Amino acid sequence: MSFEGWREGGPVMIPLLLVGLVAYTLIAERFLALYGPRAIEEARREGARGRGLIIMRALVAAAPLLGLLGTVMGMISSFEGLLEGGHVAEVSVGIGQALLSTQYGLALAAPGLLAERMLSRRSFQLEQRGGSS
């Protein structure tokens, strides 16, 4: 998808991009820390279960909500287009915005949710191993 496609999704696409960048950077860092060669030492050193996972959960939860906000904004734009004469071009821009923002919000959240669950489980397992050693 080109940058133009991102603009067609409306104003929530920039926050969605930022949420995705931060969330997936954090996911990559946690995967390296929790599945790398020094994972048990990392878990022992952290002390607290799941460093960074709370922030990750918040970001993953924010993505579909931002997508939903874009959906509402797109539908409002469509209804305004109907009020201004109901031309197909005016209505379709809002519908396209609604669909794109929803699509990207869900596309960011679904794999992020799976990654967060895997990392939470791994963090718990390492904490159990580290505490019994």
Side-chain angles (χ1 to χ4, degrees):
M1 163 139 300
S2 68
F3 185 72
E4 289 298 316
W6 276 93
R7 268 201 283 172
E8 291 170 8
V12 298
M13 296 304 277
I14 298 299
L16 267 173
L17 176 64
L18 294 174
V19 163
L21 286 173
V22 173
Y24 284 94
T25 300
L26 188 56
I27 287 169
E29 185 274 330
R30 290 286 76 206
F31 263 106
L32 289 173
L34 296 175
Y35 285 93
R38 298 178 182 234
I40 293 175
E41 292 87 15
E42 173 86 7
R44 228 184 257 143
R45 187 176 33 136
E46 285 176 11
R49 180 174 170 241
R51 180 177 71 97
L53 293 176
I54 292 172
I55 294 169
M56 191 184 315
R57 282 184 197 119
L59 292 170
V60 167
L65 294 175
L66 284 170
L68 181 60
L69 176 61
T71 301
V72 171
M73 292 171 71
M75 295 312 294
I76 289 171
S77 175
S78 291
F79 288 125
E80 287 173 349
L82 284 172
L83 288 174
E84 293 173 5
H87 298 292
V88 173
E90 294 167 347
V91 175
S92 66
V93 168
I95 293 172
Q97 178 181 336
L99 292 173
L100 280 173
S101 61
T102 303
Q103 175 189 7
Y104 282 97
L106 293 174
L108 287 173
L113 179 64
L114 294 174
E116 185 277 324
R117 292 306 314 146
M118 288 175 62
L119 292 168
S120 290
R121 184 179 180 116
R122 178 68 174 170
S123 178
F124 179 74
Q125 289 170 343
L126 290 173
E127 184 180 282
Q128 297 298 79
R129 273 193 225 163
S132 63
S133 298

